[in-house]
Amino acid sequence: MSSQPVPFDWQQVDQTLVSPMLSELALEFGKLNHDDFQQIHYQNMGNGNAVTVPSERLRMQLLRSDELAARTYAMYLEVWRCQQQSLSPAFLRAICQHPIRMLISARINSVTYELAEEQSRTNRHNTEWMKAAIEEFKRSMDRLYGKWHGAAEIDAKTVEHMLAATPGNPDVDGVATAHR
């Protein structure tokens, strides 16, 4: 690995390696989401509060999205290392700006569409409550993106300082995994 990071372009990430890893991750989380959905319904059988299930599903989706973001971040770090590349501040920031941002956006769209479709089929939930719950979910997901943006920025700044102090420092590659 070189002592100075080369200028970074997102196109340098090997998509032929990323793609199957993302597919595997998507399958894993699809099963987890299905299992969570079943568990929530099972635990709330006979519950007279009509908003408990959708509320719990939204909460579960937020938690799973955070977990998926963490796994995605780690996966891109692994791919970068497999490509024999040194971590750079630009790369760490790009993980958040590209796949994490896309993940959050996709999860928001998927979850809100799923709930809207269920609402139109069943008309089970109060429409005003549903609108408010979905808006809060979107805000929570925006905060989740902010959390990951902040974490990536901390990692990037740490790498910047380490490289400024000691160019070629081998400890740089361990920065992004130290607090995850």
Side-chain angles (χ1 to χ4, degrees), residues 98-161:
H98 293 280
I100 301 294
R101 180 185 301 265
M102 186 169 54
L103 166 74
I104 298 291
S105 178
R107 296 303 309 144
I108 289 170
N109 291 335
S110 174
V111 170
T112 56
Y113 176 79
E114 179 184 301
L115 285 174
E117 283 295 304
E118 181 180 319
Q119 176 65 11
S120 70
R121 276 192 327 272
T122 65
N123 202 24
R124 197 178 299 161
H125 312 294
N126 176 295
T127 305
E128 292 305 311
W129 176 86
M130 185 64 78
K131 285 179 188 176
I134 287 173
E135 286 305 311
E136 177 53 31
F137 175 72
K138 289 177 182 178
R139 285 189 296 274
S140 295
M141 292 294 279
D142 287 343
R143 288 189 296 273
L144 179 62
Y145 176 75
K147 169 192 166 182
W148 280 98
H149 184 270
E153 188 59 30
I154 289 168
D155 288 346
K157 285 292 189 185
T158 302
V159 168
E160 283 176 355
H161 290 296

Side-chain angles (χ1 to χ4, degrees), residues 1-5 80 84-88 91 172-173:
M1 294 190 204
S2 67
S3 62
Q4 286 292 354
W80 199 239
Q84 304 275 319
Q85 299 293 325
S86 293
L87 292 183
S88 69
F91 173 71
V172 164
D173 286 331

Side-chain angles (χ1 to χ4, degrees), residues 10 13 18 21-22 25 29 64-81 87-101 103-104 144-159 172-180:
W10 189 248
V13 177
V18 167
M21 294 172 87
L22 282 176
L25 205 52
F29 274 81
R64 286 291 182 203
S65 295
D66 189 27
E67 184 180 350
L68 185 53
R71 296 277 301 276
T72 300
Y73 192 86
M75 186 213 58
Y76 274 93
L77 293 172
E78 180 182 344
V79 166
W80 199 239
R81 288 182 182 113
L87 292 183
S88 69
F91 173 71
L92 295 169
R93 289 179 179 114
I95 295 173
C96 189
Q97 293 165 352
H98 293 280
I100 301 294
R101 180 185 301 265
L103 166 74
I104 298 291
L144 179 62
Y145 176 75
K147 169 192 166 182
W148 280 98
H149 184 270
E153 188 59 30
I154 289 168
D155 288 346
K157 285 292 189 185
T158 302
V159 168
V172 164
D173 286 331
V175 168
T177 57
H179 59 80
R180 302 279 173 257

